[in-house]
Amino acid sequence: MRPLSKKLSAIERSQTMMLFARAKKMKADGIDVVSLTAGEPDFPTPQTIKDAAIKAINENFTKYTANQGIPELLKAVAEKFQRDNNLRFEPSQILVSSGAKHSLYNSLQAICNRGDEVVIPAPYWVSYPEMTKLVDAVPVIVKTSPANQFKMTPSQLKKAITRKTKAMILCSPSNPTGAVYTKEEILAIADVVESSGIYVISDEIYEKVVYDGLKHFSIGSVESVRDQVITVNGVSKAYSMTGWRIGFLGARGDITEAADKVQSQITSNANAIAQKAAYAALCGNLDGEVSAMVTEFDRRRHFLVSEFQKIAGLEFIYPRGAFYIFANVRNFLNKSANGSRIKTADDLCEHLLTKHLVATVPGSGFGAKDWVRMSYACSMADLQKAVERLHRALGELS
Ligand code: PMP
Ligand code: GLU
């Protein structure tokens, strides 16, 4: 038999998706597992958005659309970027895709040649290095420090840039650390971007999920680098629309055109009905709904932080945005429990899942090996259950 793709042997399956599916399957099998895996808000999608989709179906808006997206959504995205992020785009500079994940992949396809380097600060979201490899570029991982909330400094970026660097990926608020770059930090990064001429893929999917009065700042709004920035966002997190699969990017015209060309040969337009729903999300005056969700995430964040502070030996990054807690578990490694030896954070996550029915994601997938990511996008009742189990499980190990 002929071999399958060689490239894929160097690519990991998405850990977040894998563990999410595993926890879901256990639940379907009747096992009382609490899943802190995927960052998926537990709220229903707001009713006005659902109504827009139902209306679209009833009006037979069920056919292909323009590859780039329906005109009213392109316009609404351009207006959203202006309103929320101070980014100036014509609708022609917007590309609507099947989730922000797809927008990120299209962005990389649009700018990378074989062998180009893409700077990715670690801890990173699981898919960045793998997507980079999929487009035949080379991920250059920059290790950041927990002492700096895992934020990349301008000098770290400068050091990582070579002749071959094509781009860097910036994720603020960050998945998995919950760190939020300040305006000053972004401006300092922008200086390096400007002088080096690299592109920035700015993943702003958690833009609306920030706490403690912080405000998200878009690097693309810095005039000196605006033509070097591809801004990626979507409706999954802000409007609890993960399953609808709508993401978008805004960029310099030729970049958007290149990404649009890629998409035209791979998937064509994003789902027509979901585009109508995304339009309703962006134009529906849903700020109240969004802030109610964020307030609830904040309540859960406070709950988890205060509970985790009571677990001796558990260290974590105080999350300022998104809905994850990233915890260092080194004090629980090289210990035994119920006859099994726990050597790595991966072993610990396996132990937590199989013996204590709490599903988490090990840091290995995020480029941080002694760490574990826990999502608090799930219900408070689930979080309470998870905390009790974690107290017990980690107590046995410490
Ligand atoms: N970027 C980050 C950092 C994410 O956590 C996610 C969540 N899946 C995405 C992009 C992709 O979001 P979407 O559901 O819109 O594809
Ligand atoms: N972004 C979410 C997460 O990191 C969903 C899973 C995924 O798309 O990989 O959990």
Side-chain angles (χ1 to χ4, degrees):
M1 252 184 300
R2 310 270 166 123
L4 303 186
S5 159
K6 217 190 264 172
K7 178 155 87 177
L8 284 186
S9 61
I11 303 234
E12 299 283 332
R13 189 174 278 278
S14 164
Q15 286 242 32
T16 44
M17 293 310 275
M18 211 158 56
L19 281 153
F20 175 59
R22 198 165 152 208
K24 218 170 187 159
K25 163 97 177 42
M26 286 170 80
K27 263 193 232 169
D29 290 345
I31 302 169
D32 174 32
V33 65
V34 181
S35 179
L36 309 183
T37 55
E40 176 160 75
D42 62 318
F43 309 106
T45 302
Q47 192 59 44
T48 49
I49 299 175
K50 294 195 278 195
D51 288 344
I54 292 163
K55 182 162 175 281
I57 294 174
N58 286 334
E59 290 177 355
N60 297 311
F61 195 78
T62 54
K63 304 290 172 71
Y64 293 132
T65 73
N67 182 63
Q68 197 184 349
I70 54 176
E72 67 264 42
L73 180 55
L74 299 177
K75 186 161 171 282
V77 171
E79 284 167 4
K80 173 255 170 302
F81 276 142
Q82 174 74 71
R83 185 173 66 234
D84 296 343
N85 312 106
N86 196 23
L87 298 169
R88 276 178 286 120
F89 293 119
E90 294 299 321
S92 62
Q93 291 173 270
I94 307 297
L95 174 65
V96 174
S97 304
S98 304
K101 205 173 198 168
H102 189 203
S103 305
L104 291 164
Y105 184 72
N106 283 336
S107 304
L108 285 164
Q109 281 284 13
I111 60 174
C112 289
N113 291 312
R114 181 179 294 274
D116 281 353
E117 293 176 352
V118 177
V119 174
I120 302 173
Y124 44 71
W125 182 46
V126 286
S127 297
Y128 299 150
E130 308 313 291
M131 282 189 192
T132 302
K133 289 186 253 171
L134 279 170
V135 305
D136 296 320
V138 180
V140 173
I141 307 301
V142 174
K143 242 181 136 191
T144 61
S145 159
N148 192 34
Q149 280 234 318
F150 283 126
K151 290 189 264 193
M152 185 173 59
T153 63
S155 64
Q156 284 176 318
L157 174 60
K158 209 184 272 173
K159 258 195 229 136
I161 294 175
T162 71
R163 255 183 328 106
K164 292 192 183 157
T165 308
K166 181 57 70 74
M168 66 157 292
I169 303 182
L170 185 66
C171 182
S172 177
S174 160
N175 175 6
T177 65
V180 178
Y181 284 71
T182 63
K183 179 176 174 183
E184 288 65 35
E185 287 164 341
I186 299 266
L187 289 175
I189 296 268
D191 279 345
V192 181
V193 169
E194 185 192 0
S195 59
S196 61
I198 65 169
Y199 291 106
V200 180
I201 298 177
S202 182
D203 182 348
E204 306 187 1
I205 192 82
Y206 295 102
E207 166 202 7
K208 302 234 186 254
V209 191
V210 285
Y211 313 108
D212 305 327
L214 295 182
K215 213 171 146 21
H216 166 76
F217 183 77
S218 294
I219 188 163
S221 69
V222 181
E223 196 57 34
S224 57
V225 294
R226 58 177 289 215
D227 282 346
Q228 288 161 255
V229 179
I230 305 173
T231 305
V232 171
N233 208 324
V235 292
S236 290
K237 314 289 174 175
Y239 302 98
S240 202
M241 290 179 71
T242 46
W244 299 76
R245 311 307 303 130
I246 295 289
F248 39 79
L249 65 80
R252 211 176 63 203
D254 58 334
I255 299 177
T256 303
E257 229 173 84
D260 182 51
K261 189 199 277 186
V262 175
Q263 178 163 306
S264 78
Q265 294 294 11
I266 308 293
T267 59
S268 306
N269 62 275
N271 179 299
I273 300 152
Q275 287 191 63
K276 287 282 191 185
Y279 174 77
L282 295 181
C283 299
N285 282 327
L286 293 173
D287 289 357
E289 276 82 346
V290 174
S291 72
M293 287 193 247
V294 175
T295 302
E296 178 56 23
F297 289 139
D298 196 15
R299 194 167 79 93
R300 297 172 189 179
R301 176 181 73 120
H302 281 298
F303 170 71
L304 268 197
V305 163
S306 71
E307 289 300 321
F308 280 12
Q309 279 164 345
K310 295 182 207 153
I311 301 180
L314 190 66
E315 298 158 8
F316 57 90
I317 300 295
Y318 196 96
R320 301 285 178 185
F323 28 61
Y324 307 100
I325 285 207
F326 205 49
N328 188 305
V329 294
R330 65 182 158 192
N331 293 327
F332 304 96
L333 304 182
N334 298 311
K335 304 251 155 70
S336 299
N338 310 334
S340 49
R341 183 89 182 145
I342 289 159
K343 289 203 201 107
T344 62
D346 288 70
D347 295 344
L348 180 64
C349 290
E350 188 62 26
H351 173 77
L352 291 176
L353 178 57
T354 54
K355 302 288 193 316
H356 295 273
L357 303 182
V358 184
T360 57
V361 187
S364 51
F366 303 98
K369 80 177 177 33
D370 290 344
W371 296 73
V372 169
R373 190 194 78 172
M374 286 162 269
S375 158
Y376 52 91
C378 59
S379 74
M380 196 66 176
D382 268 1
L383 280 184
Q384 268 154 349
K385 224 194 266 183
V387 157
E388 276 167 34
R389 293 176 187 182
L390 286 170
H391 266 297
R392 198 172 339 114
L394 297 176
E396 282 171 11
L397 288 170
S398 51

